Amino acid sequence: MGPRYFSAGEPIDGERGYYAGDHGVTAANQLQMELARAQAMEYDSIKTYVRLPHELQLTAMKFAHEKLGVWAASHYGLPGLTFGMDGMTHVSATSRWVTLTRDRRAA
């Protein structure tokens, strides 16, 4: 058996995406287009990213589990893991949670 390649496609991010492939999903209809593409291209998993609104993160996770039968991961742990995400993709990386914590300490 040779190596395996698993594809999550481009991360599903929200406003002001960092990477050139980010599509800036900010509304439910935009998310539905991204998820339809994931289904058509038979992604092996779904990855949500830092700026995707939390309610859209939950929708993406449910779609991955219920419609595609694949795992879903979030770029950071919260709130994805509380929704039932299967994992997070980085132990330490860009995170709104860390930024909020730092801002509160400085106040």
Side-chain angles (χ1 to χ4, degrees):
M1 177 188 289
R4 294 181 180 182
Y5 178 77
F6 296 98
S7 173
E10 293 136 359
I12 301 174
D13 203 354
E15 227 174 356
R16 298 180 349 257
Y18 181 78
Y19 298 102
D22 289 349
H23 295 158
V25 174
T26 58
N29 64 332
Q30 295 169 338
L31 178 62
Q32 292 308 315
M33 288 191 298
E34 292 295 321
L35 296 174
R37 181 170 64 140
Q39 188 169 28
M41 297 183 78
E42 300 180 353
Y43 287 178
D44 299 302
S45 62
I46 297 289
K47 177 182 178 180
T48 61
Y49 214 68
V50 177
R51 294 175 186 88
L52 186 67
H54 296 166
E55 64 276 3
L56 297 181
Q57 235 188 89
L58 178 59
T59 300
M61 183 212 61
K62 286 181 177 179
F63 186 89
H65 290 164
E66 297 168 8
K67 303 281 187 190
L68 301 180
V70 300
W71 60 273
S74 177
H75 183 76
Y76 54 104
L78 297 173
L81 295 176
T82 63
F83 292 157
M85 287 271 190
D86 301 297
M88 64 183 205
T89 56
H90 302 278
V91 174
S92 175
T94 306
S95 171
R96 291 187 300 178
W97 185 81
V98 171
T99 302
L100 289 173
T101 304
R102 286 185 189 144
D103 290 346
R104 287 185 185 149
R105 279 190 226 152

